[in-house]
Every structure is written in C-alpha cells, then in structure tokens.
Amino acid sequence: MAETGRSSSDRNDLAGLLPEQSLLSLEAYLEMQRAIGNETRFRILHFLTEQGAHSAKELEEELDLPSNTLHYHLDTLVDVGLVENRKRKTPDSDSLYSYYRATSLGEGILEHGVRELMREEWDLLDAYGDS
C-alpha cells in the first residue's frame, strides 16, 4: 500500500481525517451519515432537495407518511443539520407558517454521497452491462 506521508499514529487517529479547524466534528459527520442511512429520511431529504421547501402537511401528503412518522424523521434530520425548520408570517394572518428545507449540508451529503454512488453504478452498468 502506498504511503500517504502520515505517521502510523496519524493513521490510527480518526480525528486526523478532518482539518484542524474543521467546522464539524467527526461525530457530527457520522451522525449525518447515520441519519441519511434510513430510507424514510433519505426520501424526505431527496424530496426537499428536488422540490424545495414544504410544510409538514405538504410533506405528509406528498410522501404518504403518517404525521408522527414524518415528524420523528424530520426532527432527526433537523438535529443533525441536514434540514432546517423555518418559520415566517403568512401574508393573510399574524400566525407563523412553518416549513422545512434542505440545508447546504443536506444537499451536499446527497449529491456527493449517495447520489454519486448511484451515478457510478449507472455508469458501470452502461459500460459493462448487457446491451
């Protein structure tokens, strides 16, 4: 195996995977990966990145999910920073309207993680699959 210029102690130190001034910890990145590893959360995040911000009610209808299931998974996605819950006033009332949207981290983890692997599979199928 080729040397990377890191000492053997660095190779065993997972914190060395991140820049010294990293905005997020290794644990935070791993929490994001765990969150996106659930099919329901993947579907929610995928929908929000493709379709834009939606209210919880709209997400329930579009994704055909019960309210309690949706909110459980939305809370997880919000907790790890992949989705944000925004509130704004509606033009016709003083009440707040709550909606969810993918964060840039959420978009990035899909685009440079799961979707990239899916694209690679399609590319391999195109290159080596039966025609």
Side-chain angles (χ1 to χ4, degrees):
M1 189 146 92
E3 286 293 319
T4 62
R6 292 184 177 176
S7 69
S8 61
S9 63
D10 284 340
R11 278 185 243 139
N12 294 326
D13 182 9
L14 294 179
L17 294 172
L18 297 172
E20 192 173 311
Q21 302 299 322
S22 178
L23 296 175
L24 298 173
S25 68
L26 178 61
E27 183 59 31
Y29 282 111
L30 294 175
E31 285 293 325
M32 288 179 201
Q33 284 297 130
R34 282 190 282 275
I36 197 66
N38 175 277
E39 183 179 345
T40 300
R41 290 190 289 268
F42 175 83
R43 287 180 54 219
I44 293 168
L45 185 58
H46 175 74
F47 181 85
L48 290 173
T49 59
E50 294 296 313
Q51 303 297 320
H54 280 72
S55 70
K57 190 67 174 164
E58 292 167 336
L59 288 169
E60 284 176 43
E61 293 168 3
E62 292 289 335
L63 298 172
D64 193 29
L65 291 170
S67 178
N68 61 337
T69 299
L70 174 69
H71 283 282
Y72 171 79
H73 291 293
L74 279 171
D75 288 346
T76 300
L77 290 167
V78 168
D79 287 347
V80 299
L82 299 177
V83 168
E84 64 182 347
N85 182 359
R86 305 285 303 236
K87 293 176 177 38
R88 66 177 173 214
K89 286 189 176 186
T90 57
D92 57 343
S93 78
D94 289 332
S95 63
L96 291 177
Y97 169 75
S98 179
Y99 64 99
Y100 294 87
R101 70 178 189 182
T103 64
S104 58
L105 285 171
E107 291 173 358
I109 202 167
L110 275 184
E111 187 59 33
H112 301 291
V114 178
R115 287 182 181 162
E116 190 168 314
L117 290 171
M118 291 174 174
R119 276 193 303 274
E120 286 179 18
E121 184 172 357
W122 279 106
D123 290 346
L124 289 171
L125 184 62
D126 289 343
Y128 301 106
D130 294 321
S131 298

